[in-house]
């Protein structure tokens, strides 16, 4: 979550810098792209990090957290189907996903 807050602030700064230095055509195109990214990050922050499968999918075969009507699981997709670790039935109806959290750091 802190990474998203940091990236959101960085995108806002980039939008401001682009506004100050680019020619008019490039400025409008660049600002539109950065504002779209900024809006997406804010949406993910407000949703607790969950991303709707209707909005975007993770990379194929990337293990992520998935949300289904019976809970949260880890799984991946192959562009056509979702696979849930430890389950053999298919297909699964995944509504949302989010990247796996970072593993804990080893204590020194």
């Amino acid at each position: 979550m802190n990474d998203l807050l940091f990236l959101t602030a960085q995108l806002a700064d980039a939008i401001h810098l682009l506004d100050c230095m680019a020619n008019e055509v490039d400025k409008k195109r660049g600002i539109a792209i950065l504002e779209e990214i900024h809006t997406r990050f804010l949406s993910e922050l407000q949703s607790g990090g969950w991303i709707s499968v209707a909005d975007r999918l993770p990379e194929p075969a990337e293990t992520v957290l998935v949300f289904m009507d019976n809970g949260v699981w880890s799984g991946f997709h192959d562009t056509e189907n979702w696979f849930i670790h430890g389950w053999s039935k298919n297909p699964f109806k995944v509504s949302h996903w989010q990247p796996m959290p970072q593993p804990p750091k080893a204590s020194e």
Side-chain angles (χ1 to χ4, degrees), residues 31-49:
I31 287 174
I33 291 167
L34 288 173
E35 286 177 340
E36 179 182 334
I37 294 167
H38 188 249
T39 300
R40 185 179 299 165
F41 276 123
L42 286 176
S43 174
E44 288 181 24
L45 274 175
Q46 293 167 347
S47 70

Side-chain angles (χ1 to χ4, degrees), residues 1-9 41-50 98-102:
M1 187 72 98
N2 289 336
D3 290 341
L4 285 175
L5 287 171
F6 175 77
L7 289 172
T8 300
F41 276 123
L42 286 176
S43 174
E44 288 181 24
L45 274 175
Q46 293 167 347
S47 70
W50 290 104
Q98 66 176 288
M100 294 295 286
Q102 293 297 315

Side-chain angles (χ1 to χ4, degrees), residues 18-70:
L18 184 62
D19 189 38
C20 295
M21 55 191 270
N23 69 49
E24 202 58 36
V25 172
D26 290 338
K27 178 174 25 175
K28 287 180 182 179
R29 186 177 308 132
I31 287 174
I33 291 167
L34 288 173
E35 286 177 340
E36 179 182 334
I37 294 167
H38 188 249
T39 300
R40 185 179 299 165
F41 276 123
L42 286 176
S43 174
E44 288 181 24
L45 274 175
Q46 293 167 347
S47 70
W50 290 104
I51 303 162
S52 171
V53 297
D55 293 338
R56 183 164 50 109
L57 291 173
E59 292 295 318
E62 175 186 0
T63 296
V64 295
L65 292 177
V66 298
F67 181 81
M68 302 185 299
D69 59 359
N70 66 344

Side-chain angles (χ1 to χ4, degrees), residues 73-87:
W73 306 91
S74 67
F76 63 95
H77 75 97
D78 68 358
T79 70
E80 294 182 23
N81 296 301
W82 282 94
F83 300 89
I84 307 305
H85 295 123
W87 289 50

